[in-house]
Amino acid sequence: MSEQARKAAAVVAEAAPGFRPRVGLTLGSGLGALAERVENAIVVDFRDLPGFPEPSVEGHHGRLVLGRLGGQDVACLQGRVHLYEGHPAQAVVPLVRTLKLLGCETYFATNAAGALDRDAEPGQLMLITDHINMQFANPLVGPNDESFGPRFPPMDGAYDAEHQALLRRVADDLGVTLREGVYLATLGPSFESHAEVRAFARLGANAVGMSTVPEVIVARHCGLRVAAISVLTNLAAGLSDMVLSHEQTLQYGHAAADDLRRLVLGFLEGLPSASA
Ligand code: HPA
């Protein structure tokens, strides 16, 4: 997995010589439009990157977009690995480690999720402050590559406190409602049963989705600072009359895309000029 990341980073270095992104972003379902705002974009197809899978879900493109966004050099993963596609959790490793090898200091994940809080409204954004891994898989299982991080990485403060503070400030300035809470990841691809939704809420989760947690584990292992935002595309199953579907996820993802775009741009613009 590390070897694939090294090869992928070499491919990127050839496509974009000397380019050193500071922030790596993953743009989730229906949220890929942000990549179209990247200036002086250099695009590398996932197919050309060793270890990068060809995503199969509608709304996921499978491209790495390098360039300038919000005054920062960034690398946008337009598409991600979902375990429900049949990939092992380890398949996430090359993507995140490639960002690390390219020079990223921060990993910024966005995703679509179902809200577990009854007062949430579809289209609202949620700052992820912690997670619960209910995928029963961990991307770091297997031999550890010490050059990236330790065998037993802590998950304390996985979601960077300074990044959280900046996102709260930016949302406040923009007048964008930013909920916050714990993101719980399931394997998917089925949506949750009503009993699962009740159970997850009691476990302390505020949103449920099918991604991001393995990426965050790999990112923290190799010392990337993490920021993550969920677009709450729906109330979780049984909390409203809506019947859940991927189309609905994409529809509300698009509806919230503008708020998310402004929030991410404000975050990038607000990052202190030198790393802390
Ligand atoms: N559950 C799981 N994943 C999701 C949901 C949901 O309700 N909405 C968008 N992604």
Side-chain angles (χ1 to χ4, degrees):
M1 297 294 167
S2 303
E3 214 31 61
Q4 286 173 322
R6 288 189 180 96
K7 285 185 184 150
V11 171
V12 176
E14 208 165 296
F19 184 74
R20 198 175 160 80
R22 183 170 178 205
V23 180
L25 300 103
T26 290
L27 306 171
S29 299
L31 312 173
L34 209 61
E36 275 134 45
R37 315 279 297 210
V38 173
E39 294 158 28
N40 305 324
I42 294 172
V43 179
V44 185
D45 203 285
F46 277 11
R47 272 181 292 235
D48 298 324
L49 296 170
F52 281 51
E54 186 56 39
S56 62
V57 179
E58 196 199 333
H60 296 267
H61 288 265
R63 312 185 313 163
L64 178 65
V65 181
L66 308 147
R68 209 143 169 91
L69 190 67
Q72 303 286 348
D73 288 335
V74 301
C76 294
L77 293 168
Q78 209 175 7
R80 61 159 36 106
V81 168
H82 291 98
L83 274 54
Y84 60 70
E85 292 171 274
H87 301 291
Q90 289 86 344
V92 171
V93 171
L95 287 81
V96 178
R97 286 194 184 158
T98 297
L99 298 176
K100 172 74 180 181
L101 290 171
L102 292 176
C104 289
E105 297 162 16
T106 290
Y107 177 65
F108 195 132
T110 64
N111 62 41
L116 294 167
D117 297 331
R118 287 173 180 277
D119 63 339
E121 290 166 27
Q124 285 183 332
L125 304 180
M126 186 186 94
L127 174 67
I128 301 181
T129 56
D130 206 346
H131 71 227
I132 297 174
N133 184 2
M134 291 287 266
Q135 296 193 318
F136 304 105
N138 191 300
L140 301 177
V141 167
N144 184 50
D145 185 337
E146 290 286 332
S147 67
F148 282 96
R151 171 76 288 188
F152 300 108
M155 285 295 125
D156 313 58
Y159 298 82
D160 188 85
E162 284 176 24
H163 285 354
Q164 287 188 48
L166 176 55
L167 284 162
R168 285 188 196 100
R169 228 169 26 244
V170 171
D172 204 40
D173 289 349
L174 291 171
V176 168
T177 302
L178 185 60
R179 305 178 66 89
E180 56 183 82
V182 174
Y183 174 90
L184 182 147
T186 67
L187 193 54
S190 51
F191 287 110
E192 299 67 44
S193 70
H194 295 193
E196 285 166 344
V197 166
R198 288 193 297 274
F200 294 163
R202 293 183 79 156
L203 284 177
N206 303 94
V208 56
M210 306 174 192
S211 68
T212 303
V213 167
E215 299 154 20
V216 171
I217 292 171
V218 178
R220 290 306 302 144
H221 176 254
C222 66
L224 289 168
R225 298 170 72 175
V226 169
I229 299 283
S230 287
V231 174
L232 303 173
T233 53
N234 55 278
L235 288 179
L239 298 184
S240 79
D241 298 335
M242 279 198 224
V243 177
L244 306 189
S245 68
H246 188 57
E247 289 64 42
Q248 183 202 36
T249 297
L250 294 180
Q251 183 191 330
Y252 279 95
H254 287 308
D258 198 50
D259 281 349
L260 183 70
R261 178 181 59 76
R262 293 193 297 147
L263 187 61
V264 173
L265 288 177
F267 172 84
L268 293 170
E269 284 160 6
L271 276 179
S273 40
S275 61

